[in-house]
Amino acid sequence: MPLVVQGVADLFNVVDYSKKSLAISAAAIAFNPTFWNIVARREYRTKFLTRAFGGNAQVACYFLAAVIFGLGLVRDFLYERALRDQPSHPLLEGSHVKYAAYALLALGNLLVVTSTLRLGITGTFLGDYFGILMDGIVTGFPFNVTSAPMYYGSTMSFLGTALLYGKPAGLLLTAWVLFVYTIAIQFENPFTAEIYAKRDRERAKAAGTGKKEL
């Protein structure tokens, strides 16, 4: 066990914490989910984006989706640049590590892509906050594997990239990704659940009113 601990310590001892690109990448990772949660909640409460697009919630949601996608590309670019600025470690340069990296990238992207196909653009990019609700809970793959395939799939891709580059700094940033996404899930899931619960209460009330009229 001490050897394992020593090996882990050696990995993170080579991380160059003085590189600004490391801090910038960490900031971008934290910024993205913070941004879309703040914007989406404001939209839910004030409909400011929907109003900006002439009352068209669908177009407003597509606009936010494009912004989130663009921010994701920037985040990935900054992550890759941070890795390039960091030293590698012999423990992460073996062929078995590369195979693991490719497997993680494949599985991570599979979760992300299949999740998007299941939910569609509005379902993936916070359409619930725009009043674009799904008919029911999606239970097919990948949601029968994890309740947050987008987040966990993205985390797997971060880890796979870190291993592919052989950079311990990537492992550190991946841990940060997982932490940030876990916090985001804690905020998003109850809020989204309440949106659908409110929809169900309104339907039940409408159904009750309709029966009384009959």
Side-chain angles (χ1 to χ4, degrees):
M1 190 66 175
L3 289 176
V4 174
V5 173
Q6 184 60 46
V8 172
D10 288 342
L11 277 176
F12 294 111
N13 281 339
V14 305
V15 176
D16 188 349
Y17 296 97
S18 68
K19 293 291 186 180
K20 289 183 179 180
S21 57
L22 183 68
I24 291 172
S25 176
I29 288 166
F31 173 80
N32 285 15
T34 303
F35 167 80
W36 69 60
N37 271 289
I38 290 174
V39 171
R41 289 194 180 205
R42 186 183 173 198
E43 164 62 22
Y44 178 75
R45 294 188 174 105
T46 69
K47 302 299 178 186
F48 79 104
L49 280 176
T50 297
R51 285 188 282 105
F53 285 92
N56 193 322
Q58 192 93 13
V59 174
C61 183
Y62 277 116
F63 170 76
L64 181 59
V67 172
I68 292 173
F69 185 77
L71 288 173
L73 293 179
V74 173
R75 176 206 60 196
D76 292 347
F77 168 77
L78 293 173
Y79 177 64
E80 185 178 0
R81 190 176 72 172
L83 294 188
R84 291 184 184 279
D85 287 345
Q86 291 289 326
S88 56
H89 194 285
L91 285 177
L92 301 180
E93 294 180 340
S95 59
H96 59 289
V97 176
K98 294 293 185 288
Y99 294 144
Y102 288 125
L104 284 165
L105 287 167
L107 289 173
N109 281 290
L110 177 65
L111 289 177
V112 170
V113 171
T114 54
S115 172
T116 304
L117 291 175
R118 283 282 185 185
L119 298 177
I121 298 299
T122 56
T124 300
F125 293 100
L126 305 165
D128 323 273
Y129 294 74
F130 291 81
I132 307 170
L133 306 186
M134 303 190 72
D135 293 331
I137 298 174
V138 178
T139 56
F141 183 84
F143 292 92
N144 57 356
V145 176
T146 171
S147 61
M150 291 290 291
Y151 282 144
Y152 293 124
S154 178
T155 302
M156 292 171 72
S157 294
F158 272 93
L159 179 56
T161 303
L163 295 178
L164 192 63
Y165 279 77
K167 304 298 180 77
L171 302 181
L172 195 64
L173 287 171
T174 298
W176 176 239
V177 168
L178 182 59
F179 174 77
V180 168
Y181 283 171
T182 300
I183 297 299
I185 290 170
Q186 300 307 311
F187 277 93
E188 290 175 16
N189 284 358
F191 198 87
T192 304
E194 177 55 29
I195 290 174
Y196 281 89
K198 181 181 178 183
R199 191 267 305 271
D200 293 341
R201 289 194 298 269
E202 290 173 350
R203 283 181 174 177
K205 184 178 179 181
T209 302
K211 288 180 180 179
K212 289 179 181 179
E213 290 177 353
L214 291 174

